[in-house]
């Protein structure tokens, strides 16, 4: 299991000190694989034994095994923008595309299919899906609204802020699912509201960037996209995950959709005969 996946699946069980360690290792993916446990402890302001326990809590035998996972992850860290500047290559469309392709190719190694499957099962089990987001993620909100609606799900969107958002969240029922698109800084501002929604019984699916993994209050269903040092590629990755969720959903809904198409054909044929 990659370090990113291990951290994502364990983050709710981490202490404040362990979250500092995780944040430190995420912040510098190039140097992290070469740091000794003592170095990590010093930078995080914790005892070396805390670093070892952190590794074990993530599922590794010890710090050495976790560092090996960090080495494997570092091979996939994409920093092409910075690297190309250092090599003297000017910015270009071709450079951006190459960088984005590399970011996308690394996603399956950091986000397991079980995360997608789990989110889809939650969507299928609820009465209604509320999709929330604003700012840069608004196109993703609309994309998922259209795709989930076509798949036969009842969907509403929440794109407001302030009191408008509170009013829409108040309408989320215990048997609903709230799908949230939010970057780390946005999630911190809305986490208290989401806690209240979850307390009422609604399921929450969060699509975010990896920085959010170090937040204290996370829903049970989190799909976190690793950022590279250049801090780019997140929107493209989120869009790709939306497609992955949609295609996975269609697999589960294949029979229902086939029946629906047959019914539409029957109704259309009946209308033509009159």
């Amino acid at each position: 299991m990659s370090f990113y996946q291990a951290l994502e699946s364990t983050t709710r069980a981490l202490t404040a000190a362990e979250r500092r360690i995780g944040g430190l290792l995420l912040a510098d993916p190039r140097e992290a694989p070469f740091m000794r446990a003592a170095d990590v402890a010093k930078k995080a302001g914790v005892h070396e034994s805390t670093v070892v326990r952190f590794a074990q809590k993530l599922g590794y035998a010890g710090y050495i095994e976790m560092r090996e996972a960090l080495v494997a992850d570092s091979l996939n860290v994409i920093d092409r923008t910075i690297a190309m500047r250092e090599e003297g290559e000017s910015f270009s469309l071709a450079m951006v595309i190459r960088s984005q392709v590399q970011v996308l190719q690394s996603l399956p190694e950091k986000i397991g299919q079980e995360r997608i499957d789990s989110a889809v099962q939650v969507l299928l089990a609820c009465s209604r899906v509320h999709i929330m987001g604003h700012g840069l993620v608004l196109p993703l909100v609309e994309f998922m609204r259209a795709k989930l609606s076509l798949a036969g799900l009842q969907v509403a969107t929440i794109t407001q802020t302030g009191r408008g958002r509170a009013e829409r969240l108040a309408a989320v029922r215990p048997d609903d699912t709230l799908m949230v698109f939010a970057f780390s800084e946005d999630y911190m501002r809305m986490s208290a509201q989401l806690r209240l929604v979850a307390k009422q019984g609604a399921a929450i699916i969060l699509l975010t960037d990896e920085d959010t993994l170090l937040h204290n209050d996370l829903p049970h269903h989190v799909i976190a996209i690793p950022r590279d040092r250049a801090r780019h590629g997140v929107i493209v990755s989120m869009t790709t995950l939306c497609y992955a969720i949609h295609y996975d959903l269609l697999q589960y809904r294949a029979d229902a959709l086939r029946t629906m198409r047959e019914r539409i054909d029957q109704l259309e044929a009946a209308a033509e005969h009159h």
Side-chain angles (χ1 to χ4, degrees):
M1 180 185 296
S2 75
F3 175 77
Y4 296 99
Q5 289 176 323
L7 181 63
E8 185 177 9
S9 62
T10 315
T11 185
R12 279 176 291 274
L14 299 180
T15 65
E18 290 165 342
R19 289 175 188 274
R20 287 202 304 275
I21 296 170
L24 175 67
L25 296 175
L26 287 175
D28 199 349
R30 289 196 168 201
E31 293 299 324
F34 307 102
M35 295 172 66
R36 300 173 302 166
D39 298 329
V40 176
K42 183 176 180 180
K43 288 189 175 184
V46 300
H47 193 275
E48 188 172 341
S49 61
T50 304
V51 177
V52 175
R53 285 197 300 272
F54 169 77
Q56 293 171 338
K57 187 174 285 189
L58 263 60
Y60 301 107
Y63 182 77
I64 298 300
E65 185 175 321
M66 183 183 74
R67 192 163 69 172
E68 291 173 353
L70 285 166
V71 170
D73 281 355
S74 71
L75 297 176
N76 298 308
V77 170
I78 311 305
D79 197 4
R80 291 292 294 164
T81 303
I82 295 174
M84 287 178 180
R85 287 295 296 274
E86 292 173 349
E87 295 165 9
E89 180 177 344
S90 60
F91 288 107
S92 67
L93 173 62
M95 182 209 72
V96 172
I97 291 174
R98 286 197 299 273
S99 178
Q100 297 296 330
V101 167
Q102 289 177 305
V103 170
L104 293 175
Q105 287 176 333
S106 71
L107 277 182
E109 300 167 5
K110 297 173 180 177
I111 300 176
Q113 181 60 36
E114 67 276 4
R115 294 268 167 199
I116 306 297
D117 293 339
S118 176
V120 168
Q121 290 297 328
V122 171
L123 292 172
L124 290 172
C126 70
S127 295
R128 190 175 193 182
V129 182
H130 302 259
I131 308 175
M132 187 169 87
H134 71 279
L136 290 175
V137 299
L138 276 175
L140 300 179
V141 172
E142 175 56 26
F143 175 91
M144 287 309 299
R145 183 205 63 76
K147 294 300 184 183
L148 296 185
S149 295
L150 286 173
L153 276 64
Q154 296 295 316
V155 184
T157 60
I158 303 176
T159 58
Q160 300 87 345
T161 59
R163 185 171 181 82
R165 175 192 288 168
E167 291 173 348
R168 299 300 296 274
L169 287 174
V172 177
R173 299 172 300 193
D175 55 351
D176 289 347
T177 289
L178 178 61
M179 189 175 193
V180 180
F181 291 91
F183 296 123
S184 185
E185 57 270 21
D186 294 326
Y187 181 76
M188 292 181 68
R189 288 191 288 268
M190 66 177 68
S191 61
Q193 290 179 318
L194 298 185
R195 235 183 2 257
L196 291 174
V197 173
K199 190 175 180 180
Q200 296 298 317
I204 297 177
I205 300 171
L206 173 64
L207 279 81
T208 186
D209 56 287
E210 70 183 10
D211 291 353
T212 310
L213 293 178
L214 282 307
H215 195 275
N216 288 323
D217 302 302
L218 288 174
H220 285 94
H221 304 279
V222 179
I223 302 176
I225 300 163
R227 287 178 177 262
D228 61 13
R229 288 182 63 197
R231 316 300 283 175
H232 67 282
V234 177
I235 290 293
V236 172
S237 297
M238 275 193 174
T239 303
T240 303
L241 288 173
C242 287
Y243 275 108
I245 290 171
H246 175 231
Y247 293 149
D248 201 25
L249 179 65
L250 292 181
Q251 294 287 335
Y252 287 100
R253 298 277 294 176
D255 291 340
L257 291 173
R258 189 179 301 109
T259 300
M260 177 64 74
R261 284 195 295 269
E262 291 174 354
R263 180 63 175 156
I264 292 173
D265 290 341
Q266 290 174 356
L267 291 169
E268 187 176 26
E272 290 176 353
H273 283 95
H274 291 281

